[in-house]
Amino acid sequence: MYDSPVPSLIVSAVFGIIGVAVVLAVVLIIIDHVEPIVERLLGGASFTEWLGNKLGDKVRLFRRRHRADQDEDPDLDASAESLLSILPSASLIVDRQGDVVRANPQAYRLGIVQDDSIVEPAVIKAVRDVREHGGRRRFDLETETPERFVPPLPSGAGIQVDTESNGVRRPNWLKVTVGRVDARFVVVLIDDVSETVRFSQIRDSFIVNVSEQLLSPTEALSRLADELERDDVDPAKVRADAGRVRVASNHLNHMVSDLLLLIKAQEPIVPSAANRLNVMEQLAVVSSQLARTAADEDIQLRLDGDRSLVVNGEADQIRTAVTKLVENAIVYSKRGGYVALSAQKDDSGQYAVIRVLDQGKGIAKSEQRRIFERFYRGKDQTERSADGVGLGLSIVKHVALTHHGTVAVWSAPGQGSTFTLSLPLAQ
């Protein structure tokens, strides 16, 4: 009677697997010991780069799995991990191979890390410098939020959207600190100072533009004073100079008011039961306030929408944003036309979509990408729009941002414009 060969094959296979595992473990140990020597010989290039892209990727993948099997990097001190976990800034840990072994979710949103690898060249260079020469590196960095972290425009808005002119994407201004944890690990601390920088920019714009705008009323006042001091006062010239003083003063008041609104619209809204607002109630207030203005311009103002829509927000900011959109629509519409103000739920059921549609002359494609910039004014201004200061749409953009929403425009010359302000519905 012959013994079955199956048990022998199983035993051979088991011993074969054990043998392969032992060989791989030995290879990994050899690589860890040889790698520093190779990196010094290669002038700082990593060992995996020397092996080549494909083989280097396989080595990195094997190391990650090896770490996972050993409780995710036991060499990283537990106290260091605990400290990093409570830091308010975004942080990440990089190993000797340049792989990210720990990362705060903010590091991904800020565009520093993607697929467990650092993607910012300046950060990569700083990590290498610190690993080779020690010390600490501090520098400023500007990044863009990756597309997947940008809130998508709501579906079902009923308009075409020019993604270049939606005006809601902002850069991230970061302060980065890079230092060594120990011989193997490097830590990268990322402090997001974007809100501080934006506030500073608006404050500086406020000071510069108010200073410039003060020149017109002061010059007009000076001319008026000269006329009044003359022995032969000319009443007609006095009235003309007084009119210029009034126009310049009104323009300055308008600009200061808009700048103050822009500064207020910087703090993000935190949803709560205390700031729930019915959207149609806010639109009704705006419609009522602008009804006389529309009538004076021979414009019919229409209001319609879903009265069940509720959002979290600041009532004054939302009303201001909608008011700016409707005022623009009235100013740029032809007499005898109409402006439509409406609110509806998007197809996903997640956004309240506020639309302002006009029958005006439209906006040239070349200008649409700039209309949400502070103090930008289009080329074709009319007598009715001459008093504007170029802050209205910037205020709308910032109100959308602080309410975690978006703003977009569709327009074509001769076909009017449709502005869409989309705000997340209250949960």
Side-chain angles (χ1 to χ4, degrees):
M1 188 176 225
Y2 296 98
D3 292 333
S4 172
V6 175
S8 299
L9 291 174
I10 294 175
V11 172
S12 300
V14 170
F15 277 103
I17 293 172
I18 293 174
V20 171
V22 170
V23 170
L24 289 175
V26 172
V27 169
L28 188 60
I29 292 171
I30 293 173
I31 289 175
D32 285 337
H33 284 81
V34 171
E35 182 174 17
I37 300 173
V38 174
E39 288 184 356
R40 284 196 295 270
L41 292 175
L42 295 176
S46 71
F47 183 68
T48 51
E49 288 175 353
W50 178 70
L51 289 173
N53 291 335
K54 292 186 178 180
L55 185 55
D57 290 341
K58 293 183 183 297
V59 171
R60 281 191 290 268
L61 180 60
F62 179 79
R63 279 174 167 159
R64 286 179 189 168
R65 290 176 177 173
H66 182 66
R67 294 188 195 112
D69 291 339
Q70 297 182 345
D71 194 22
E72 295 187 342
D73 293 321
D75 294 335
L76 184 60
D77 187 78
S79 61
E81 288 195 40
S82 300
L83 178 61
L84 290 172
S85 67
I86 64 174
L87 287 175
S89 59
S91 60
L92 55 109
I93 297 290
V94 185
D95 67 9
R96 189 179 297 161
Q97 290 72 43
D99 296 328
V100 176
V101 296
R102 294 287 188 280
N104 185 300
Q106 281 288 89
Y108 292 86
R109 189 192 66 79
L110 294 172
I112 302 295
V113 179
Q114 181 179 344
D115 297 330
D116 296 331
S117 297
I118 299 174
V119 294
E120 271 294 328
V123 179
I124 295 173
K125 181 179 183 301
V127 168
R128 288 178 176 172
D129 287 347
V130 165
R131 181 179 293 115
E132 293 174 8
H133 307 293
R136 184 171 51 183
R137 302 291 184 275
R138 288 181 175 177
F139 56 94
D140 295 331
L141 182 64
E142 184 176 331
T143 66
E144 288 288 337
T145 301
E147 188 77 21
R148 64 184 181 280
F149 294 106
V150 177
L153 287 169
S155 57
I159 62 169
Q160 301 176 42
V161 175
D162 180 354
T163 55
E164 290 185 345
S165 65
N166 61 43
V168 300
R169 295 180 185 175
R170 299 185 291 183
N172 305 305
W173 285 283
L174 313 173
K175 289 189 175 295
V176 182
T177 303
V178 182
R180 263 200 317 214
V181 176
D182 53 31
R184 182 175 179 185
F185 296 105
V186 172
V187 63
V188 180
L189 301 179
I190 307 160
D191 189 14
D192 185 1
V193 295
S194 301
E195 294 304 323
T196 302
V197 172
R198 291 185 188 106
F199 187 87
S200 177
Q201 288 179 342
I202 293 174
R203 179 198 60 201
D204 294 345
S205 295
F206 181 95
I207 295 171
V208 170
N209 286 278
V210 168
S211 300
E212 291 177 352
Q213 293 299 325
L214 277 172
L215 294 176
S216 295
T218 53
E219 290 174 357
L221 281 170
S222 179
R223 286 193 296 268
L224 178 59
D226 290 342
E227 285 298 323
L228 293 175
E229 288 176 348
R230 291 169 59 93
D231 293 333
D232 52 337
V233 176
D234 184 346
K237 289 197 69 175
V238 170
R239 282 194 296 271
D241 287 337
R244 282 191 284 269
V245 170
R246 184 179 298 278
V247 170
S249 298
N250 288 340
H251 187 79
L252 180 61
N253 288 338
H254 187 183
M255 188 194 68
V256 172
S257 176
D258 279 356
L259 279 169
L260 290 174
L261 287 171
L262 190 59
I263 290 174
K264 289 179 181 178
Q266 297 300 306
E267 189 68 27
I269 298 296
V270 178
S272 70
N275 59 15
R276 292 169 66 90
L277 302 172
N278 183 282
V279 175
M280 284 303 295
E281 289 179 3
Q282 310 310 311
L283 302 192
V285 172
V286 173
S287 179
S288 176
Q289 292 175 342
L290 295 179
R292 179 63 182 271
T293 301
D296 290 345
E297 299 294 340
D298 193 21
I299 301 294
Q300 183 183 357
L301 183 55
R302 303 176 182 176
L303 174 63
D304 188 26
D306 184 345
R307 299 188 178 278
S308 68
L309 302 180
V310 176
V311 299
N312 293 105
E314 166 57 48
D316 288 342
Q317 289 189 25
I318 292 176
R319 291 177 190 172
T320 297
V322 177
T323 296
K324 294 296 182 184
L325 292 176
V326 176
E327 284 178 341
N328 279 356
I330 292 172
V331 165
Y332 290 103
S333 291
K334 298 177 181 178
R335 293 183 180 275
Y338 73 88
V339 170
L341 174 60
S342 66
Q344 65 185 59
K345 186 183 297 185
D346 82 318
D347 290 345
S348 70
Q350 297 179 345
Y351 286 86
V353 181
I354 302 171
R355 289 188 292 168
V356 178
L357 181 149
D358 66 57
Q359 296 177 306
K361 59 184 179 181
I363 306 169
K365 195 74 171 178
S366 59
E367 291 190 276
Q368 290 181 22
R369 67 185 63 189
R370 298 197 60 195
I371 58 175
F372 292 101
E373 295 177 9
R374 291 190 300 272
F375 301 106
Y376 178 77
R377 306 204 68 209
K379 299 176 183 178
D380 300 327
Q381 298 300 319
T382 66
E383 183 179 348
R384 288 190 291 167
S385 65
D387 191 44
V389 295
L391 285 173
L393 291 180
S394 182
I395 291 172
V396 175
K397 179 186 76 172
H398 282 281
V399 169
L401 288 167
T402 58
H403 287 76
H404 313 286
T406 59
V407 62
V409 61
W410 175 89
S411 187
Q415 299 183 40
S417 304
T418 301
F419 284 85
T420 304
L421 174 62
S422 304
L423 307 176
L425 289 169
Q427 299 300 316

